[in-house]
Amino acid sequence: MKLNIKDTFNKELPADPNKNNTRRKVFEACYSYVTPRIPSHPTLIHVADELAEMLDLERDTQSEDFLEVFSGKKVYPKTHPFAMCYGGHQFGHWAGQLGDGRAINLMEIRANGQHWALQLKGAGATPYSRTADGLAVVRSSIREHLCSEAMHYLGVPTTRSLSLMLTGDEVLRDMLYDGNQAYEKGAVVCRVSPSFVRFGNFQLFAARKDHKNLKNLADYTIRNFFKDIKSEGKEKYIAFFQQVVNNSLEMVLHWQRVGFVHGVMNTDNMSILGLTIDYGPYGWLEGYDANWTPNTTDSRNHRYAYGNQPGITLWNLVQLANALYPLIEEAKPLEDILESYQQNFDLKYVEMMSKKLGLTQKNQEVEQLIEEVEQNLQLTETDMTIFFRELPRVQKKNTPQEAFQKIHKSFYKPLELAGATTDAWLKWFAKYIDILQKEEDKDETRKFKMYEVNPKFVLRNYMAQLAIDAANKGDYSIIEELYEVLKRPYNEQPEYEKWYVKRPEWARNKVGCSMLSCSS
Ligand code: AMP
Ligand code: MG
């Protein structure tokens, strides 16, 4: 296995001089060197083949070298693994130093003209592990591996996942936080991203008034990942912030489009590149519900619920603005950028929803229609993915009743449709068809355009759970099958029709299918 090593983070930024793997506070450094834990019996479960190809690794994935390097058993020659130092706001409160407690950055490489950082998750304790063990269990690793790739193929900005391996070691977890600890299989995934820097990396230096390293980190990030910023002085940092705001807005807009709920949007889980990062107790909307969160830790406050994600993104950006302020020393430009976020989001949201509805007209009527569809979707439990995937079949010549029939299979409780709910939908479809008739495109053309933004296949919570249950019995075929389906989420793929169904009833309240804890 030959990798084209091009390290930057551990070449250009200050290291913690202490090389012992002891848990501690680390000051005036961006990272600490740490060697991955040696797994007792690593086995490869799954490789994302297209990603391997992009990294020029397609001929190596079955080799001993690949197994050893991406399980943490062997350090690739001339590389210097490390854990990053960062802080963050957790559930709205400043938590101080957090850091890579179970992520170890292996190396950065160049492949096919692109730059990538490769990082193991679950490869053992680091100076930032605090009271935890630095390990990951197979269920959360399957969820991270499959969802990262699924999101990529949905066109959502995200970190990627190259490989999923069992370590052969057991990990003790209290899955439900109810005092019942049990051993689970340990696993490691190799995450891939241009950079793993988070809002929290900047925040920690700012909180400690270490402005020298704050500047170091900002300059490093701009120099390597925001290459089109040419300005100098404070203008440079303002331009940087503007781009982070734009990228984060795009990311959350995609989440809303596909019905993804991150679940733990703490500032340490916000990528500076605007990529979806840290797949923990995330979930997918099945019944459309703005107030839904998959995370049990958040079940009371719903801080990170689906409908709150755009606002929380802004809240997180405000924290980043505070962290960058010492480099700019002027509040106005930062405030102006933050203010424009809301306006831009609203505009882009209408644009995105119009596309989901197949409309090109821009007017009050369309905005009204969008608001109403969101209300209607919450009248009775209605599957978001199926609704938007069936909607393109509605034709200009349809009556409201005919149109309503076409999306009928998205309802979970048909008995609840009688009366007011049906009335609301018939009214909505009457307006929708009216507006459709003013569209220039023929029905067929509009249908295919709508298919491009309304996926047929997403990683429903119960699908991941089926893959996990089988994997726990040594059967990895569902992982393989889901990976294949989710590679082409907008295609019909009739051979996989069984994955285009509403959540089965058995999954309604099953752990892992409806609610998830942070235990992973
Ligand atoms: P999260 O909410 O998963 O993003 O985690 C918050 C912090 O806890 C991060 O600093 C993680 O690295 C750390 N952490 C989470 N799980 C573990 C674990 N099993 N061992 C060590 N650190 C962990
Ligand atoms: Mg995290």
Side-chain angles (χ1 to χ4, degrees), residues 12-14 28 30 202 205 210-223 237 327:
E12 300 176 24
L13 290 167
E28 294 173 39
C30 288
F202 298 88
F205 286 132
D210 181 353
H211 298 162
K212 182 173 143 221
N213 281 308
L214 176 66
K215 183 171 182 314
N216 268 339
L217 180 65
D219 289 343
Y220 162 84
T221 307
I222 298 166
R223 184 166 69 240
Y237 306 114
L327 303 177

Side-chain angles (χ1 to χ4, degrees), residues 26-68:
V26 173
F27 295 93
E28 294 173 39
C30 288
Y31 57 94
S32 304
Y33 289 111
V34 58
T35 309
R37 177 182 194 260
I38 295 181
S40 64
H41 184 65
T43 43
L44 182 62
I45 295 186
H46 191 256
V47 175
D49 54 8
E50 286 186 4
L51 178 56
E53 205 177 313
M54 199 172 75
L55 299 176
D56 275 339
L57 286 171
E58 72 272 21
R59 282 175 306 277
D60 301 303
T61 57
Q62 300 308 314
S63 71
E64 193 62 18
D65 241 11
F66 186 91
L67 181 74
E68 293 187 339

Side-chain angles (χ1 to χ4, degrees), residues 86 90 98-102 129-130 132-135 173 264 268-269 278:
Y86 54 80
Q90 296 184 310
L98 296 166
D100 285 332
R102 57 167 165 177
S129 296
R130 297 177 292 149
D133 57 10
L135 304 175
R173 284 288 180 273
V264 204
D268 53 304
N269 291 339
D278 277 8

Side-chain angles (χ1 to χ4, degrees), residues 63 69 135 174 198 277 330 352 391 455 478 496:
S63 71
V69 170
L135 304 175
D174 180 356
R198 301 142 190 269
I277 191 171
E330 218 187 312
M352 179 274 282
L391 191 65
I478 302 184
Y496 291 127

Side-chain angles (χ1 to χ4, degrees), residues 388-456:
F388 282 106
R389 189 71 186 189
E390 295 302 312
L391 191 65
R393 299 197 303 121
V394 173
Q395 297 174 328
K396 294 177 182 176
K397 62 165 197 243
N398 284 150
T399 63
Q401 283 83 356
E402 284 165 345
F404 184 48
Q405 272 314 311
K406 290 192 172 174
I407 54 98
H408 197 268
K409 74 172 185 191
S410 58
F411 296 119
Y412 279 85
K413 299 168 183 161
L415 290 179
E416 287 184 9
L417 290 175
T421 300
T422 296
D423 289 348
W425 274 118
L426 291 180
K427 243 191 227 158
W428 188 83
F429 274 113
K431 282 192 205 169
Y432 181 56
I433 293 162
D434 231 31
I435 297 177
L436 276 191
Q437 285 168 352
K438 292 182 219 147
E439 285 292 324
E440 261 175 42
D441 279 344
K442 294 214 168 73
D443 287 329
E444 263 319 270
T445 314
R446 183 183 65 257
K447 180 163 96 178
F448 286 107
K449 284 186 184 165
M450 288 170 80
Y451 281 167
E452 286 170 14
V453 290
N454 294 323
K456 178 169 180 181

Side-chain angles (χ1 to χ4, degrees), residues 202 217-247 272-273 324 328 337:
F202 298 88
L217 180 65
D219 289 343
Y220 162 84
T221 307
I222 298 166
R223 184 166 69 240
N224 287 289
F225 306 103
F226 293 81
K227 289 185 175 158
D228 52 335
I229 296 180
K230 301 285 182 233
S231 39
E232 279 305 323
K234 69 179 180 188
E235 293 307 323
K236 172 164 94 169
Y237 306 114
I238 295 169
F240 168 51
F241 184 63
Q242 177 73 67
Q243 283 201 27
V244 178
V245 171
N246 295 349
N247 296 347
I272 201 70
L273 302 182
L324 296 178
I328 298 163
I337 294 169

